[in-house]
Amino acid sequence: MHGGSVEVDRLRKTFGEKTAVDEVSFSVAPGTVLGLLGGNGAGKTTMVNCLSTLLPLDGGRAVVAGHDVAEDPAGVRASIALTGQFAAVDDVLTGRQNLVLFGRLLKLGRKEAAARAEELLAGFGLADAADQPVKSYSGGMRRRLDLAASLVVRRPVIFLDEPTTGLDPVGRREMWRIVSGLCDDGATLLLTTQYLEEADRLADRIVVLDQGRVIAEGTPRELKDQVGGAVCAVHVDVPEQRERAVRALRERMDGVTESGDLITVPGADAGTLAEVVRVLAEEGVEPDDVGLRRPTLDDVFFALTGRREDCEEQEGMRL
Amino acid sequence: MTLPTSSAGATAAAARPLVTEKGPRNLLGQGLLLARRNVRLSSVADTVSTMVVFPVIFVFGFLAIFGRLLAARGVDYAQFLPPAIVVQWMFSVAISAAFFFAADRRTGMLARYRAMAINRGAVVVGRMAADSLRALLAIVVILAAGHVAGFRFQAGPLAALAFVALAVGFALTLSAGTSAVGLASRDPEAVSSTLHTVYLPLLMVSSAFVPADAFPAWIEPFVRAQPVTAVIDALRALADGGPTAGPVTRAVLWMAGLLALFSLAAVRAFRRAT
């Protein structure tokens, strides 16, 4: 199946006084993956809800696989697969019953629906749990079933809203592998994420959203160049020691930033690390943790906006 | 690994061309699939207790408490009570409809259905069909318990059918209203308790458990004028024989008015529910 394109032109969505999406424009070429990157409240989910016809637009225009979302919502729905932020599957039904029901709703015959369910369960590593009720599934299994449910009938455009939020590292890697498979198959993907690493892994292009606006757009490579690559991160719990450490590091190095109990020094080579450790020892500061860290969304925001967002850590769990 | 999305592994069916979601065939077919899902979701244990055991307890419990008291006033309570318990359970069906809608919003199921290429009305039809089934089950259980206690339809089978139809109609009318509340929330428990605080006083201050003239004078006009009394009186007229046209017309007019109002609110809430 060939992917369809997604064109978004100055899309606007407000909730009362609050502007959730503010004149956002971007386009996704057929068969490519676009990552919408942003923290909580950036407007990612609102964006996906508008594009999947769940919310009416308040301004601008969006065309999905050739169908205008305002003028031909039924055409849009027949062209998309949506995997929402919460694994929307029925707990008391089995994995198989869930998939068969979605197949039947989308007009597959009884046999076709059963065959397709079988195929998806096998492909998503759920064959063993196929006849267990979903409430016995792990978080990762639920997410995989949720994704499978949206793929019961193949569509040219797939929306994935934070597919790995809340998953453990193993679950996340498994999900990445499956999503990569979707791209290989030629579908067009629009995925939202809070994780720079995830966007980096999966997306051809990244659009960074902040408070409903596009603040950056480009390939993962281009974005990371703006951030300046990995950093050296120092945790110091004791406030006086931390102040001392920041002062000493700033005297000797550029771009030292402080956020909570974390001090960040740009440059992630062994030399920088050694220098940081030496300075800390000189000042008599006992850090709780010193190490090299790949840039996170937090760093992207800092590089782009100059302020620290309250984002989760890379491997952080959300309750 | 071969992903099930790859062309090689996929069944031909999965690649079928786009089809429209409009039309009555879709509405009915998809609505019934969703109705089956809704019925499956209400667990067996819960259905048995709330739809079978509780109404039976209410019939015999109230009969034991008030039966002799009202016999002294010349009321045959075994004949008087079952229609009231039926109406009480129609409220219960409607509140569970709101509970399920709020739950479907919380889990994201409603958003999933709304973003799928299925008929716009299928979710509503699915809910109504499942509610009707629950309502019918409750009516059958209550009437069976009533029969044991001495309740009889005295106006023939047609009136009995009209009794059932009116009761189910009332359940669906109420469901439209409660759904508007359920669809506006993501908290099934809160929806359920809010609706109970509306329904319990309405039922208490009606002709459900005692005749209207047993109320204090200052509240009696309200008891006589409110819709729950109208529906219960109509059900009693259909069960007991005697003139039915007046009470039934009054009940139907009330229900039509409420249904129009509730449906508007429900459709509004449904469009906004993501």
Side-chain angles (χ1 to χ4, degrees):
Chain A
M1 164 141 333
H2 293 292
S5 62
V6 180
E7 302 287 339
V8 179
D9 183 26
R10 282 166 293 159
L11 193 149
R12 206 164 53 77
K13 179 69 199 172
T14 56
F15 297 106
E17 296 286 285
K18 191 177 172 284
T19 303
V21 172
D22 195 3
E23 306 259 316
V24 167
S25 302
F26 60 80
S27 65
V28 194
T32 67
V33 183
L34 181 90
L36 273 183
L37 181 64
N40 289 334
K44 306 188 299 292
T45 297
T46 304
M47 193 75 229
V48 169
N49 284 346
C50 286
L51 293 179
S52 51
T53 77
L54 288 172
L55 286 173
L57 315 186
D58 291 321
R61 193 160 174 264
V63 180
V64 176
H67 306 277
D68 188 299
V69 294
E71 279 153 28
D72 183 15
V76 173
R77 286 190 287 267
S79 312
I80 61 166
L82 168 65
T83 304
Q85 208 177 110
F86 307 100
V89 280
D90 284 323
D91 268 348
V92 301
L93 304 186
T94 67
R96 188 191 307 279
Q97 286 170 333
N98 267 290
L99 295 182
V100 169
L101 174 60
F102 288 120
R104 301 279 289 135
L105 281 171
L106 291 171
K107 301 195 206 173
L108 300 188
R110 227 174 272 276
K111 278 186 183 162
E112 294 170 307
R116 182 64 177 153
E118 192 71 55
E119 204 168 59
L120 287 161
L121 288 163
F124 283 55
L126 294 167
D128 292 339
D131 298 307
Q132 307 285 322
V134 172
K135 57 173 169 267
S136 70
Y137 283 23
S138 71
M141 289 162 75
R142 284 181 69 97
R143 280 300 179 90
R144 296 208 296 278
L145 182 68
D146 187 42
L147 181 55
S150 66
L151 301 173
V152 162
V153 172
R154 293 190 300 144
R155 304 296 200 196
V157 176
I158 300 172
F159 297 136
L160 297 173
D161 195 7
E162 300 198 12
T164 67
T165 298
L167 293 187
D168 62 21
V170 176
R172 178 167 298 156
R173 257 163 255 284
E174 174 69 13
M175 193 56 107
W176 284 347
R177 192 177 61 79
I178 289 171
V179 173
S180 304
L182 298 178
C183 320
D184 296 342
D185 195 40
T188 305
L189 246 77
L190 192 148
L191 112 127
T192 78
T193 180
Q194 312 196 18
Y195 308 119
L196 180 62
E197 188 189 355
E198 181 162 292
D200 185 17
R201 282 272 188 125
L202 300 173
D204 300 308
R205 288 186 71 75
I206 297 175
V207 168
V208 185
L209 281 184
D210 178 44
Q211 297 175 346
R213 289 207 178 87
V214 176
I215 57 168
E217 189 182 351
T219 63
R221 171 90 263 153
E222 288 164 356
L223 272 180
K224 276 191 289 185
D225 287 347
Q226 289 189 44
V227 181
V231 293
C232 182
V234 184
H235 278 275
V236 185
D237 277 345
V238 186
E240 313 84 71
Q241 292 211 0
R242 187 163 62 242
E243 274 171 38
R244 207 142 27 96
V246 170
R247 215 177 318 115
L249 288 169
R250 281 197 174 138
E251 278 168 18
R252 295 168 176 84
M253 301 169 174
D254 290 331
V256 177
T257 62
E258 190 188 359
S259 144
D261 61 354
L262 176 73
I263 305 165
T264 331
V265 183
D269 50 275
T272 312
L273 187 61
E275 173 78 358
V276 168
V277 171
R278 196 180 58 75
V279 171
L280 293 178
E282 261 176 30
E283 293 294 318
V285 173
E286 286 173 15
D288 296 276
D289 185 45
V290 182
L292 297 177
R293 195 165 58 91
R294 276 173 290 187
T296 64
L297 180 55
D298 204 23
D299 302 316
V300 175
F301 275 108
F302 187 70
L304 293 168
T305 65
R307 75 189 152 77
R308 288 270 169 204
E309 276 281 307
D310 187 18
C311 296
E312 281 102 325
E313 281 297 305
Q314 189 68 23
E315 300 293 349
M317 300 283 285
R318 194 170 63 172
L319 295 176
Chain B
M1 186 194 86
T2 310
L3 268 172
T5 48
S6 67
S7 332
T11 49
R16 80 175 33 201
L18 310 177
V19 270
T20 172
E21 62 189 42
K22 291 191 175 64
R25 270 192 63 194
N26 288 335
L27 179 65
L28 217 64
Q30 289 159 345
L32 286 181
L33 282 164
L34 289 174
R36 236 183 100 212
R37 174 249 178 195
N38 292 336
V39 170
R40 276 161 123 182
L41 246 53
S42 40
S43 77
V44 177
D46 178 62
T47 305
V48 169
S49 59
T50 61
M51 291 291 139
V52 179
V53 179
F54 292 175
V56 171
I57 292 175
F58 268 88
V59 169
F60 290 107
F62 273 112
L63 207 57
I65 298 168
F66 294 126
R68 293 220 325 234
L69 202 63
L70 282 149
R73 285 182 70 125
V75 175
D76 175 3
Y77 209 53
Q79 187 69 19
F80 184 84
L81 180 66
I85 305 295
V86 165
V87 161
Q88 185 182 4
W89 247 265
M90 298 306 100
F91 271 106
S92 169
V93 166
I95 290 174
S96 71
F99 181 93
F100 284 126
F101 264 139
D104 276 350
R105 266 201 80 186
R106 181 165 67 185
T107 58
M109 282 310 280
L110 196 65
R112 162 155 264 158
Y113 291 138
R114 290 191 57 225
M116 279 171 73
I118 58 178
N119 191 282
R120 297 298 88 192
V123 171
V124 177
V125 168
R127 188 71 263 157
M128 284 172 61
D131 290 347
S132 303
L133 204 68
R134 280 171 83 89
L136 275 173
L137 175 66
I139 293 167
V140 166
V141 168
I142 293 162
L143 292 182
H147 190 86
V148 171
F151 173 83
R152 294 291 180 273
F153 280 108
Q154 287 162 355
L158 217 63
L161 273 180
F163 178 102
V164 174
L166 192 73
V168 173
F170 185 57
L172 293 180
T173 302
L174 292 174
S175 290
T178 57
S179 296
V181 179
L183 285 166
S185 170
R186 291 177 203 278
D187 186 343
E189 284 79 18
V191 163
S192 179
S193 64
T194 304
L195 290 172
H196 272 97
T197 59
V198 177
Y199 124 80
L200 280 172
L202 268 181
L203 186 72
M204 293 294 165
V205 188
S206 77
S207 65
F209 302 115
V210 292
D213 55 22
F215 281 89
W218 62 271
I219 203 170
E220 199 191 313
F222 175 79
V223 174
R224 289 190 188 282
Q226 67 125 320
V228 178
T229 296
V231 173
I232 291 174
D233 288 353
L235 290 176
R236 282 191 182 128
L238 288 166
D240 299 348
T244 52
V248 171
T249 308
R250 231 163 70 85
V252 169
L253 283 177
W254 258 118
M255 277 160 52
L258 289 175
L259 185 65
L261 191 74
F262 289 165
S263 304
L264 277 178
V267 167
R268 218 175 121 86
F270 184 71
R271 292 221 172 107
R272 290 173 171 210
T274 49

